[in-house]
Amino acid sequence: SAVISQKPSRDICQRGTSLTIQCQVDSQVTMMFWYRQQPGQSLTLIATANQGSEATYESGFVIDKFPISRPNLTFSTLTVSNMSPEDSSIYLCSVVETSFNEQFFGPGTRLTVL
Amino acid sequence: AQSVSQHNHHVILSEAASLELGCNYSYGGTVNLFWYVQYPGQHLQLLLKYFSGDPLVKGIKGFEAEFIKSKFSFNLRKPSVQWSDTAEYFCAVNERRDDKIIFGKGTRLHILP
């Protein structure tokens, strides 16, 4: 199974600043996703990170607010831009390993915006 | 749009009680179905999944789920819960033509010792 690490594990940020979250996988994976889990809520898909092209965003999420990079098959970043307290959440990287037909989740990044 | 509904937001049971958590989905096409569990302070973990074949699926830790296509349901069951089953449980659905997984809102299960 894929092993996923995220950096940072948590951060406390000021309103108006930006934070970039890194996701590293120990093997090449076909699909990488970014999710948000707000306090007391379920997981909401933000976007699919596409290798070598622009990410595919879900309804309600835009590139200017959540720019995503995926330079190769094992790494992706999500930036939360111009943060507000409403962005306080856990951000999760997730991957699909086609051979296992299963989706794996990273440990998450707990973001608090003051 | 595809959606997943979990009937109970918070369930409290005593140890040895039987458990059933409801899950219904809205999509009428071919789907893959999942239950994930998140223990306090830990990652999401896959509990069990259904892709095809026997609609009664066995997972880890004594959990099972039954896919009933006519009811668009995939309920999670365990005959006798333990205190260590205290966690949040998420039902999820994936359309076969798409790699996205859509999650339900989760059910917080609390087992009294």
Side-chain angles (χ1 to χ4, degrees):
Chain A
S1 63
V3 176
I4 306 169
S5 59
Q6 285 185 232
K7 288 182 186 179
S9 59
R10 59 178 62 225
D11 207 343
I12 300 173
C13 301
Q14 294 295 324
R15 182 196 295 262
T17 62
S18 297
L19 176 72
T20 295
I21 303 167
Q22 298 180 3
C23 175
Q24 180 73 54
V25 190
D26 68 343
S27 59
Q28 293 187 345
V29 293
T30 310
M31 309 290 291
M32 292 181 81
F33 305 93
W34 286 98
Y35 285 83
R36 180 171 73 182
Q37 187 177 19
Q38 292 181 301
Q41 302 288 319
S42 183
L43 286 82
T44 303
L45 181 62
I46 297 172
T48 304
N50 299 311
Q51 195 256 331
S53 65
E54 194 171 284
T56 305
Y57 289 85
E58 296 301 304
S59 175
F61 298 96
V62 294
I63 188 171
D64 290 346
K65 176 68 176 176
F66 297 102
I68 288 170
S69 78
R70 189 177 174 194
N72 56 52
L73 293 176
T74 64
F75 185 79
S76 177
T77 66
L78 168 75
T79 299
V80 187
S81 303
N82 188 24
M83 290 184 283
S84 67
E86 292 72 34
D87 295 320
S88 296
S89 186
I90 297 173
Y91 291 85
L92 294 136
C93 174
S94 176
V95 304
V96 169
E97 274 191 337
T98 307
S99 59
F100 288 101
N101 247 337
E102 184 174 330
Q103 186 163 1
F104 299 93
F105 288 85
T109 296
R110 186 179 293 268
L111 171 63
T112 302
V113 184
L114 302 178
Chain B
Q2 189 180 35
S3 67
V4 180
S5 300
Q6 290 184 239
H7 309 155
N8 313 99
H9 296 299
H10 198 181
V11 173
I12 302 173
L13 294 173
S14 298
E15 275 195 306
S18 65
L19 170 72
E20 180 158 2
L21 301 182
C23 173
N24 287 89
Y25 62 94
S26 64
Y27 184 64
T30 305
V31 294
N32 298 320
L33 298 156
F34 308 84
W35 275 97
Y36 283 85
V37 60
Q38 189 169 28
Y39 297 102
Q42 296 190 25
H43 304 188
L44 271 172
Q45 301 173 41
L46 183 67
L47 204 52
L48 49 79
K49 61 186 178 185
Y50 171 81
F51 283 6
S52 63
D54 188 346
L56 184 61
V57 180
K58 304 281 187 189
I60 60 172
K61 305 188 180 187
F63 286 91
E64 65 178 32
E66 185 175 11
F67 170 49
I68 303 180
K69 189 174 181 180
S70 61
K71 294 185 179 180
F72 299 93
S73 71
F74 190 56
N75 292 356
L76 180 71
R77 299 195 292 250
K78 185 170 182 177
S80 176
V81 293
Q82 300 171 303
W83 178 78
S84 58
D85 293 325
T86 294
E88 190 150 15
Y89 293 80
F90 295 94
C91 181
V93 176
N94 154 243
E95 297 179 43
R96 295 257 177 105
R97 62 187 177 139
D98 193 348
D99 285 305
K100 294 184 296 189
I101 292 185
I102 306 299
F103 284 81
K105 290 190 182 300
T107 297
R108 189 158 295 192
L109 176 65
H110 186 75
I111 307 299
L112 302 173

